[in-house]
Amino acid sequence: MTHARAKWVWPAILFAFSLAYRWVFITLSNFDGLYGQDSYEHLRQVLAFRAWLLDAGESRTGFLWPHGFAVTAFPFTAVLGPTSRAVQSCTTLCGAALIALLFELGRRLAPAAGTTVGLLAATIGAIAAQPVFSSVVIMTDSPALMWATLAALFLVRGTDSPQKGRWTLASGTALGMAIITRWQYLLLLPVFVGALLVARDSRRRWLTVTAGFAAPALVLMTLHLLMSAQRPEGFVGHWVLQWRPAHVLLADFFTTEGHTVYRLPNWLSYTQLAGSPRFLFPLLGLMIPAGIWSLWRVRAWFSLVL
């Protein structure tokens, strides 16, 4: 086997294993990906987006979240039809692709360790409960994280390539897709800029990165604005925004979704997940300070920032 083919063996194996692992769960449980209000809201928007593109239907206005998920899921609904299974297939494939990307990202960030770091990161992502659940439910979590990880991989790839401009442009495009899939990924923008600053790149590359970050976000945010033009209150009056910060502290409260009752205060109920080995691997989490210290000790600033 040639070296060019051999380097794809582990990513291919990890992708196939992760995909099979998730599809076994879906098949045994007959789960259609719809879980809670948000899943139904995302499904309706994805199908409305498909109808708008293929059937010249009316755009669904008043949608709070950005359209990156609808764009990512469109090829699946175009081929498989306007069904929840088609949209679920998108999140499942994104979740499996994420595992292969984690392996490659770990391998490139720690080349001296061979495949060890990549395999550890990929294994955790492949079997931990939260990544698996996010891969089978119709939500933006898995697609957004896949785009963000792809952006990080492209950024790292550009550090050892003579074609740095192309890789950083690709990184910016992927990060733009992550941002317009989940707004929270705007927080990665200063992280990526910080990594480039540490890498001491030229002014020209800075301009390329800026263009790569801005272009896809502007295009798809413009699409979002056009689809919501008939009801601009969709950004400021959507039912999601009727949640109040005080709800975080309460165990019993009312929203437009109805009467919500938790056994513990809202914030404490969700914090409990941090102590569950099924979700966050707390023991492995304790290794984070050791990892930070190891990177600091060898002055691996680029890897440390990412």
Side-chain angles (χ1 to χ4, degrees):
M1 183 182 296
T2 65
H3 175 71
R5 291 183 179 179
K7 70 178 183 179
W8 293 104
V9 171
W10 272 119
I13 292 174
L14 290 165
F15 173 80
F17 170 78
S18 301
L19 186 62
Y21 188 77
R22 285 149 175 77
W23 273 111
V24 166
F25 173 83
I26 292 171
T27 301
L28 293 179
S29 63
N30 197 31
F31 180 51
D32 62 1
L34 295 170
Y35 175 81
Q37 176 68 32
D38 290 357
S39 293
Y40 285 92
E41 186 78 356
H42 281 299
L43 175 63
R44 285 192 290 268
Q45 180 62 11
V46 168
L47 298 185
F49 184 84
R50 176 190 185 275
W52 183 62
L53 289 180
L54 294 184
D55 305 325
E58 293 185 3
S59 63
R60 182 161 178 259
T61 58
F63 186 65
L64 178 70
W65 297 302
H67 295 295
F69 182 39
V71 172
T72 305
F74 172 72
F76 294 86
T77 58
V79 174
L80 301 177
T83 65
S84 63
R85 290 295 188 188
V87 183
Q88 185 187 41
S89 297
C90 171
T91 60
T92 304
L93 280 172
C94 286
L98 170 65
I99 307 309
L101 293 174
L102 282 174
F103 167 79
E104 189 64 16
L105 182 61
R107 186 182 70 82
R108 288 189 175 275
L109 284 174
T115 60
T116 303
V117 173
L119 284 173
L120 179 61
T123 301
I124 294 173
I127 63 176
Q130 186 59 60
V132 173
F133 178 71
S134 296
S135 299
V136 300
V137 70
I138 297 176
M139 292 285 284
T140 60
D141 304 67
S142 182
L145 185 55
M146 185 273 294
W147 284 118
T149 306
L150 183 63
L153 178 59
F154 284 158
L155 193 69
V156 173
R157 183 67 180 85
T159 60
D160 58 2
S161 170
Q163 298 177 327
K164 289 181 171 58
R166 294 182 181 181
W167 285 109
T168 49
L169 181 62
S171 175
T173 302
L175 183 58
M177 281 300 301
I179 291 171
I180 56 88
T181 302
R182 281 184 71 89
W183 294 125
Q184 291 92 325
Y185 283 93
L186 274 169
L187 297 174
L188 281 183
L189 190 57
V191 175
F192 278 51
V193 171
L196 290 171
L197 182 62
V198 168
R200 295 183 177 87
D201 290 301
S202 66
R203 176 182 175 84
R204 183 178 179 182
R205 189 178 179 191
W206 271 81
L207 293 174
T208 302
V209 171
T210 302
F213 286 154
L218 287 175
V219 169
L220 291 171
M221 287 176 68
T222 300
L223 178 61
H224 191 349
L225 290 170
L226 291 173
M227 293 183 70
S228 301
Q230 300 172 26
R231 284 182 55 194
E233 70 273 16
F235 295 102
V236 295
H238 196 278
W239 66 266
V240 173
L241 298 184
Q242 295 182 32
W243 282 72
R244 299 288 180 263
H247 294 160
V248 175
L249 304 175
L250 301 177
D252 188 329
F253 53 89
F254 289 89
T255 68
T256 52
E257 292 184 279
H259 186 197
T260 301
V261 179
Y262 290 96
R263 185 172 59 86
L264 298 170
N266 192 5
W267 71 271
L268 193 55
S269 295
Y270 285 97
T271 303
Q272 290 181 97
L273 295 178
S276 172
R278 293 171 295 178
F279 280 84
L280 292 181
F281 283 75
L283 294 178
L284 291 176
L286 297 176
M287 297 172 61
I288 292 176
I292 293 174
W293 167 246
S294 298
L295 292 173
W296 183 282
R297 186 165 51 86
V298 298
R299 303 295 191 268
W301 307 124
F302 183 82
S303 298
L304 185 60
V305 171
L306 283 181

